[in-house]
Amino acid sequence: MKALVLTEARTVSLADHPKPAATAPTDVVVRVAQTGICGTDRSVLVGKFPAEPGVVMGHEAVGTVEEVGSAVTAHKPGDRVVINPTLYCGGCPSCLRGHWDFCVNKAGTEVGLDLDGAFAEYIRLPERFLHTLPEDMHFDRAVVVEPLACALNNIEAGRVRAGETVVVAGGGPVGVVCAMAAQHHGARVLLTEPDPYRQELCREVFARDFGGRVTVHTPDAPALAGQGDVVIDTVGSLLEQCLAYAAVRGRVVIMGYNSNASATVRPLEILQRGLQIIGAGDYNSRLFPRAIELARWLPLERLVTHRFPLEQHEAAFAALAAAPGTPYSALKVVLVPE
Ligand SMILES: [Zn+2]
Ligand SMILES: [Zn+2]
């Protein structure tokens, strides 16, 4: 089959790769319909995130079940599914406490990083990491369910309540999904983004159907200071800025992954303003079915501005500003195997 494989030089190349088979009794092989390019994939290529050379990349995928192992009961060939790429072992101390998202046996099980992923015609996973889609949910929407699961986890960690103001820092795909989910929880959302082109893309997404509940701002807009009952840093390097956005008793959630970021906080400010700084990570797999249900209510397909076949992977990654100083020309980019 065709697949995008990570090279030693941290590029991807289109390769002929063995098609996976359902070798274990609980294996399911899925024919991939589409796979979103995540910020993590981009980070691997620009050297900000580790991954194993030779791996098939990609983890935000939807498709159709092709083949099932002898013990699989939850799925049959032809089922339309979304993959949950956050694997866990089920037996380590974290997993036994139900904290599957903090499984300590992640090595070798990170889909698209050190376990073959979904920038390919087929992917194989254990059945518990596949979820059947509602009949009326199009793949174009379902391909954004995995980022929505991350957003939902972080919104719940911030304890967003109806009537509150949420500041979402960063107008990339994750920021936009957070904004959609937060307004669905009844919040007024202020979304910040420095890049003028992405600001415009964000405004287009929220121009219809949102009744002004989500507005887009430049990060230094004075109107933002002290506004956020909840502030979500989707970039991972904006903690100081986000503390300034927080209202009294505000909850600041660090969501973006950035291994290079550090920040200076003033402990006195934290206690005098009653602030909370919260880290929640990606999501517990228990939350994934709820993200699928939530997706029924959100026009997630509007995020996808570009679709490319696997062959055009260079153009696909170029649209995501892979080189420093180049602006983004896309919001969410999706790769299609055929
Ligand atoms: Zn992702
Ligand atoms: Zn575990």
Side-chain angles (χ1 to χ4, degrees), residues 88-96 100 102-105:
Y88 59 91
C89 75
C92 73
S94 292
C95 283
L96 288 175
W100 301 334
F102 296 97
C103 174
V104 300
N105 295 319

Side-chain angles (χ1 to χ4, degrees), residues 3-253:
L4 293 187
V5 174
L6 181 68
T7 68
E8 294 280 353
R10 285 184 174 270
T11 60
V12 287
S13 76
L14 187 68
D16 240 326
H17 200 78
K19 181 188 165 188
T23 44
T26 58
D27 277 350
V28 176
V29 176
V30 174
R31 181 156 47 83
V32 176
Q34 10 182 310
T35 306
I37 299 181
C38 177
T40 315
D41 301 319
R42 182 182 172 274
S43 296
V44 169
L45 299 189
V46 300
K48 285 191 199 161
F49 208 82
E52 205 57 45
V55 76
V56 177
M57 293 185 68
H59 61 265
E60 299 177 358
V62 290
T64 308
V65 172
E66 174 87 0
E67 186 196 347
V68 297
S70 56
V72 171
T73 54
H75 302 287
K76 58 182 188 311
D79 283 358
R80 298 164 67 253
V81 293
V82 54
I83 75 160
N84 164 15
T86 305
L87 305 199
Y88 59 91
C89 75
C92 73
S94 292
C95 283
L96 288 175
R97 286 189 200 100
H99 305 314
W100 301 334
D101 39 346
F102 296 97
C103 174
V104 300
N105 295 319
K106 287 277 192 187
T109 69
E110 301 252 45
V111 176
L113 295 174
D114 57 18
L115 179 73
D116 278 347
F119 292 156
E121 292 178 88
Y122 299 91
I123 181 173
R124 171 183 57 206
L125 285 172
E127 66 170 330
R128 65 177 164 165
F129 299 108
L130 299 171
H131 296 267
T132 303
L133 288 173
E135 231 167 70
D136 55 354
M137 190 179 293
H138 199 283
F139 280 147
D140 291 355
R141 176 171 298 194
V143 75
V144 191
V145 160
E146 194 268 346
L148 178 63
C150 296
L152 183 57
N153 183 45
N154 282 268
I155 280 168
E156 293 192 347
R159 306 189 301 283
V160 171
R161 288 188 295 257
E164 290 192 321
T165 296
V166 174
V167 178
V168 176
V174 167
V176 171
V177 173
C178 275
M180 275 193 193
Q183 66 78 35
H184 188 82
H185 279 64
R188 177 178 77 116
V189 180
L190 311 175
L191 178 62
T192 76
E193 167 57 39
D195 181 81
Y197 186 80
R198 278 207 149 167
Q199 278 179 13
E200 207 38 53
L201 292 175
C202 293
R203 287 198 181 96
E204 279 169 29
V205 168
F206 294 108
R208 289 176 286 136
D209 310 324
F210 286 90
R213 293 187 300 279
V214 180
T215 51
V216 181
H217 306 263
T218 50
D220 53 1
L224 295 165
Q227 288 303 300
D229 298 301
V230 178
V231 184
I232 302 176
D233 175 7
T234 70
V235 181
S237 59
L238 304 176
L239 181 60
E240 293 166 23
Q241 176 97 70
C242 286
L243 288 168
Y245 292 152
V248 166
R249 292 182 58 81
R251 287 91 71 195
V252 176
V253 184

